[in-house]
């Protein structure tokens, strides 16, 4: 009897130690998207979805960096850029390439990246087709997510091929998707509010999308559909 109690106590202690040692499971997922619009204006962007592990509001939004206005000046050097949020309709016409589960620290860093590229939040919104386009933004987001082997000079104007190359180089660190956006969105469950016990300061530095409305506050039909990514 005593031996059994000792064994049970040892087993309980081992399990407790193991549970304490395990890292918390992050609950916000970043997904990398590409959109092919003929051969002229491809685009790449990210979405963030889930609930921060430490608490806070549910997250269901996306961000892309693009040129503000398409003019011939785009071919001559740097012009004004802007952060835009893809609508559900825009995502339906895109392709979800792969996703990565973020830690809360990585999630906060992704939001800081968005702010750093957004003029309305004091960031640098300078757009350059060759050195600071939508793929450069996505590349920075991938680095924050812990992905490696991101330098692909020949693919920096080819969103789909760039993301496919990054996925191939980081197979152990990503969840491959490779689906049309409409098919991928159909598989996603609603983002639930965190349990009452998960009360913590909200990590958001950007406001969430209004409840009951499509993701994003800026229409992508007039500008993103006609931007070079």
């Amino acid at each position: 009897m005593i031996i059994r109690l000792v064994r049970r106590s040892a087993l309980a202690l081992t399990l407790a130690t193991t549970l304490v040692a395990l890292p918390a499971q992050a609950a916000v997922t970043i997904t990398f998207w590409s959109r092919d619009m003929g051969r002229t204006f491809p685009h790449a962007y990210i979405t963030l979805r889930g609930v921060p592990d430490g608490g806070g509001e549910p997250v269901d939004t996306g961000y892309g960096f693009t040129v503000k206005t398409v003019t011939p000046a785009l071919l001559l050097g740097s012009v004004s850029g802007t952060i835009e949020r893809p609508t559900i309709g825009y995502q339906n016409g895109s392709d979800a390439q792969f996703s990565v589960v973020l830690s809360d620290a990585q999630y906060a860093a992704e939001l800081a990246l968005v702010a750093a590229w957004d003029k309305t939040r004091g960031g640098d919104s300078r757009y350059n087709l060759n050195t600071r386009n939508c793929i450069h933004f996505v590349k920075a987001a991938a680095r924050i997510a812990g992905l490696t082997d991101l330098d692909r000079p020949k693919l920096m104007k080819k969103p789909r091929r760039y993301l496919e190359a990054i996925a191939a180089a980081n197979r152990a660190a990503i969840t491959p998707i490779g689906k049309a956006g409409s098919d991928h969105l159909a598989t996603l469950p609603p983002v639930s509010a965190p349990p009452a016990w998960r009360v913590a300061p909200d990590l958001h530095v950007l406001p969430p999308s209004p409840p009951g409305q499509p993701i994003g506050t800026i229409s992508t039909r007039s500008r993103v559909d006609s931007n070079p990514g």
Side-chain angles (χ1 to χ4, degrees), residues 215-227:
I215 293 175
T217 57
I218 301 176
S219 171
T220 55
R221 180 175 299 176
S222 61
R223 287 191 296 189
V224 176
D225 280 350
S226 60
N227 74 61

Side-chain angles (χ1 to χ4, degrees), residues 7 22 29 53 56 58 68 83 97 99 131 145 158 169 193 196-197 207 209:
R7 287 178 176 175
L22 288 175
T29 296
D53 226 22
K68 191 170 184 179
I83 289 287
Q97 298 295 346
S99 64
T131 62
K158 302 175 181 179
W197 54 268
S209 300

Side-chain angles (χ1 to χ4, degrees), residues 166-190:
I166 299 309
N170 291 270
R171 293 185 186 279
I174 67 162
T175 298
I177 300 175
K179 291 182 178 180
S182 55
D183 294 336
H184 174 61
L185 293 178
T187 68
L188 300 178

Side-chain angles (χ1 to χ4, degrees), residues 65-226:
F65 182 71
T66 184
V67 63
K68 191 170 184 179
T69 305
V70 177
T71 69
L74 178 67
L75 303 176
L76 303 178
S78 296
V79 295
S80 295
T82 185
I83 289 287
E84 289 194 333
R85 296 186 178 187
T87 63
I88 291 294
Y90 190 80
Q91 291 179 59
N92 279 330
S94 306
D95 294 299
Q97 298 295 346
F98 61 87
S99 64
V100 179
V101 178
L102 302 174
S103 68
D104 280 359
Q106 288 173 320
Y107 168 54
E110 297 288 4
L111 293 180
L113 170 69
V114 173
W117 288 56
D118 187 356
K119 183 178 181 179
T120 66
R121 295 173 177 84
D124 179 3
S125 63
R126 174 179 45 87
Y127 180 99
N128 188 292
L129 184 60
N130 296 314
T131 62
R132 204 172 192 267
N133 63 28
C134 66
I135 302 180
H136 293 91
F137 173 76
V138 166
K139 175 183 175 181
R143 179 172 288 110
I144 291 172
L147 304 186
T148 59
D149 197 9
L150 302 176
D151 293 331
R152 309 280 171 153
K154 296 181 179 180
L155 300 179
M156 298 312 288
K157 296 178 184 177
K158 302 175 181 179
R160 174 187 287 275
R161 289 184 57 190
Y162 178 81
L163 291 177
E164 288 176 344
I166 299 309
N170 291 270
R171 293 185 186 279
I174 67 162
T175 298
I177 300 175
K179 291 182 178 180
S182 55
D183 294 336
H184 174 61
L185 293 178
T187 68
L188 300 178
V191 179
S192 302
W197 54 268
R198 286 173 64 174
V199 178
D202 192 351
L203 290 175
H204 277 81
V205 296
L206 297 175
S209 300
Q213 294 186 15
I215 293 175
T217 57
I218 301 176
S219 171
T220 55
R221 180 175 299 176
S222 61
R223 287 191 296 189
V224 176
D225 280 350
S226 60

